């Protein structure tokens, strides 16, 4: 079937009171940017956004189902704003469809239309019974015919497609996410996008240790994550020189924590350069030795930027569920060696002492090393 429009619904934006308009404009801006060339425009109507489109329904569907801020959407046919036109489209929409029971669910956004929702439900319901000899069922009907009466047209649709939910990504809310090749950090980055942040990705790479497939994997992860926001920057930061110095100077029990501290310091600099406000990591409390209660405290304190850990209270199983849903699971499952795992002790420190860790850090010219790493970073934009 050929459709005229897509009706986009949001839920949380609807709760924003006076700020609702700015959220709606942001969502429209994001939809227009992600569907450039595929749609003919968006119109803001009461409680919904109507997307006009004329081609490539599958592509449009795929893109819309990844845009944060959209709760669900439906492909619709439009009818002129009079009862007979609406009736005709309702009957046409159901032509050839197999179902036993149905219900009509009308919403009158445009209060100037003379029939109210209840009247539309019962009158259109009677027409469908007459035309197709089907039963009305209020609960668990096979088909729900949605009729949305808006300002210019009425829209008739049958199925809702689930969206990401959350809030539209906002370039004024930038964060920098540390992206490893594992399962966790892509999910952490996605969750921040879902809550309305523009996420800049940073990956640390030791070219002497890692095979070239690691970089390929990171590019694939960034590509997948880029579906959920308008603009994606990925910094690939060389880590070999720094890592070599850390291996020389720091006891193997503490190395992981020092690696991570340097990563966070470099990421803070990336944040400063991009006017980003927070750092984001894929830590989950007590998942591994570097993420014990005590080690997280010494890792996060005294940085130029605050660290957010959106997975902190999630179990691995829950993280994997999200990874599967957002399409990063298969990419993360590809074999790789993260540079974080080189030259570590079999039994790393579980409760590092903040004083000892800072003493270790004082053996480095931190500012110079951070500056150096930033200079050599490679930037990819999607
Ligand atoms: P993940 O799936 O995120 O790799 P993990 O359980 O393997 O999780 P760690 O290796 O301890 O966790 O890393 C914790 C966090 O540190 C990661 O989620 C990520 O945010 C960051 N991190 C680790 N290694 C790198 C890297 N090479 N580049 C960028 N960030 C990294
Ligand atoms: Mg990891």
């Amino acid at each position: 079937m050929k459709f005229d429009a897509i009706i986009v619904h949001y839920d949380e934006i609807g709760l924003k009171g006076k700020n609702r308009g700015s959220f709606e404009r942001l969502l429209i801006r994001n939809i227009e940017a992600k569907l450039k060339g595929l749609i003919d425009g968006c119109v803001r109507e009461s409680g919904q956004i109507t997307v006009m489109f004329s081609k490539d329904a599958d592509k449009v569907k795929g893109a819309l189902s990844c845009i944060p801020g959209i709760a669900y959407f439906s492909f619709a046919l439009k009818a002129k704003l009079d009862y007979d036109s609406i009736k005709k489209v309702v009957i046409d929409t159901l032509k050839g469809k197999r179902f036993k029971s149905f219900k009509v669910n009308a919403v009158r956004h445009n209060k100037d239309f003379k029939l109210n929702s209840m009247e539309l439900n019962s009158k259109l319901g009677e027409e469908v019974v007459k035309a197709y000899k089907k039963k009305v069922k209020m609960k668990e009907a096979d088909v729900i015919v949605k009729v949305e009466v808006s300002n210019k047209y009425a829209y008739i649709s049958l199925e809702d497609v689930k969206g990401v939910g959350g809030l539209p990504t906002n370039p004024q809310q930038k964060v920098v996410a540390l992206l490893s090749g594992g399962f966790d950090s892509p999910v952490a980055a996605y969750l921040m996008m879902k809550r309305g942040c523009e996420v800049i990705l940073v990956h640390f790479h030791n070219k002497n240790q890692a095979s070239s497939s690691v970089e390929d994997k990171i590019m694939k992860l960034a590509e997948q994550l880029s579906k959920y926001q308008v603009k994606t920057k990925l910094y690939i930061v060389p880590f070999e020189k720094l890592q070599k110095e850390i291996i020389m100077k720091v006891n193997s029990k503490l190395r992981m924590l020092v690696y991570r501290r340097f990563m966070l310091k470099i990421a803070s600099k990336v944040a400063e350069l991009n006017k980003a406000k927070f750092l984001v990591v894929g830590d989950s409390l007590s998942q591994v030795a570097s993420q014990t209660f005590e080690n997280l405290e010494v890792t996060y304190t005294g940085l130029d930027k605050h660290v957010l850990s959106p997975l902190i209270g999630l179990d691995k199983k829950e993280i994997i569920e999200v990874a599967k849903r957002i399409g990063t699971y298969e990419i993360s499952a590809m074999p790789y060696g993260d540079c974080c795992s080189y030259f570590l002790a079999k039994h790393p420190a579980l409760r590092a002492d903040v004083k000892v860790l800072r003493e270790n850090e004082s053996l480095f010219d931190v500012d110079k090393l951070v500056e150096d790493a930033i200079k050599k970073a490679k930037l990819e934009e999607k």
Side-chain angles (χ1 to χ4, degrees):
M1 184 177 274
K2 202 177 166 315
F3 295 97
D4 302 315
I6 302 164
I7 311 297
V8 169
H9 290 273
Y10 34 82
D11 38 23
E12 208 167 319
I13 297 175
L15 306 175
K16 294 289 170 205
K18 277 196 192 139
N19 292 328
R20 179 164 151 176
S22 63
F23 280 95
E24 286 174 335
R25 280 192 293 277
L26 197 53
L27 181 56
I28 290 181
R29 187 199 76 118
N30 292 354
I31 293 173
E32 287 180 339
K34 293 305 278 185
L35 278 80
K36 216 173 177 173
L38 287 173
I39 59 170
D40 308 321
C42 296
V43 188
R44 215 168 108 194
E45 302 192 65
S46 46
Q48 67 181 46
I49 291 166
T50 308
V51 181
M52 306 300 173
F53 88 110
S54 46
K55 54 179 184 237
D56 231 330
D58 283 345
K59 249 193 183 162
V60 172
K61 184 177 172 181
L64 281 179
S65 54
C66 292
I67 297 178
I70 298 178
Y72 60 94
F73 57 95
S74 48
F75 286 83
L77 286 170
K78 68 182 180 195
K80 279 202 236 139
L81 276 187
D82 60 77
Y83 176 73
D84 285 340
S85 303
I86 296 174
K87 180 184 88 183
K88 183 173 179 316
V89 176
V90 167
I91 300 296
D92 286 353
T93 305
L94 290 168
K95 204 170 272 168
K97 210 165 163 59
R98 301 176 109 221
F99 63 103
K100 284 189 182 143
S101 60
F102 78 99
K103 84 170 180 183
V104 177
N105 194 354
V107 184
R108 186 180 58 153
H109 299 296
N110 173 356
K111 301 293 176 214
D112 293 335
F113 191 77
K114 56 183 187 306
L115 297 172
N116 67 26
S117 310
M118 297 289 277
E119 288 163 337
L120 275 169
N121 285 344
S122 75
K123 275 175 78 97
L124 290 168
E126 277 171 32
E127 302 288 356
V128 175
V129 172
K130 211 158 72 188
Y132 296 111
K133 314 280 175 287
K134 305 290 179 189
K135 261 199 356 225
V136 176
K137 204 169 161 193
M138 295 323 278
K139 271 190 188 156
E140 291 169 26
D142 295 341
V143 169
I144 297 175
V145 185
K146 272 204 322 194
V147 178
E148 310 200 44
V149 181
S150 299
N151 294 339
K152 283 197 189 137
Y153 295 99
Y155 296 95
I156 291 90
S157 62
L158 295 182
E159 272 159 60
D160 287 336
V161 183
K162 207 170 161 344
V164 160
L167 294 164
T169 57
N170 182 347
Q172 304 301 320
Q173 290 185 174
K174 287 196 182 72
V175 296
V176 167
L178 286 81
L179 181 72
S180 69
F183 292 104
D184 305 332
S185 47
V187 173
Y190 159 79
L191 289 178
M192 296 309 295
M193 294 174 191
K194 185 174 170 254
R195 294 308 300 165
C197 292
E198 183 174 309
V199 179
I200 296 162
L201 305 167
V202 180
H203 175 70
F204 296 90
H205 187 66
N206 184 332
K207 71 171 188 314
N208 301 330
Q209 306 284 343
S211 64
S212 60
S213 62
V214 174
E215 217 174 303
D216 180 47
K217 180 175 181 176
I218 295 301
M219 299 287 262
K220 285 199 171 95
L221 281 173
E223 185 77 45
Q224 184 61 21
L225 288 169
S226 75
K227 293 180 182 169
Y228 298 94
Q229 61 180 0
V230 175
K231 199 171 138 195
T232 301
K233 278 186 175 181
L234 164 68
Y235 287 85
I236 299 184
V237 183
F239 207 55
E240 53 275 354
K241 198 170 148 240
L242 230 167
Q243 199 158 20
K244 198 167 155 198
E245 200 173 325
I246 296 170
I247 291 164
M248 273 167 20
K249 292 182 173 166
V250 178
N251 182 304
S252 63
K253 283 184 179 296
L254 286 177
R255 267 178 210 153
M256 175 62 140
L257 298 183
V258 178
Y259 291 162
R260 291 239 296 154
R261 290 277 301 171
F262 267 103
M263 287 183 183
L264 289 165
K265 282 169 193 269
I266 295 166
S268 299
K269 191 78 195 168
V270 174
E272 194 189 304
L273 292 172
N274 285 282
K275 299 194 169 57
K277 303 279 191 230
F278 293 99
L279 306 180
V280 176
V281 293
D283 295 348
S284 151
L285 189 58
S286 304
Q287 191 194 71
V288 286
S290 58
Q291 294 163 25
T292 61
F293 193 72
E294 292 79 2
N295 283 350
L296 285 184
E297 194 215 352
V298 302
T299 306
Y300 293 170
T301 43
L303 294 163
D304 290 341
K305 297 280 173 202
H306 285 292
V307 180
L308 299 179
S309 311
L311 312 182
I312 202 74
L314 297 186
D315 297 342
K316 197 79 185 181
K317 199 168 149 261
E318 294 167 311
I319 298 168
I320 296 287
E321 266 169 30
V322 184
K324 286 186 174 162
R325 204 169 67 228
I326 65 171
T328 56
Y329 178 83
E330 279 77 17
I331 310 170
S332 294
M334 288 158 62
Y336 84 115
D338 183 34
C339 64
C340 247
S341 52
Y342 298 126
F343 300 102
L344 299 178
K346 250 209 178 106
H347 301 289
L350 294 178
R351 288 180 198 86
D353 183 331
V354 72
K355 252 175 56 198
V356 177
L357 196 75
R358 299 300 179 260
E359 273 164 28
N360 271 277
E361 274 181 13
S362 70
L363 304 173
F364 297 84
D365 184 348
V366 175
D367 291 345
K368 174 147 192 331
L369 289 165
V370 169
E371 210 54 59
D372 239 37
I374 295 277
K375 264 194 215 138
K376 296 197 177 109
K378 202 168 83 184
L379 172 64
E380 304 275 340
E381 295 192 58
K382 295 187 196 307

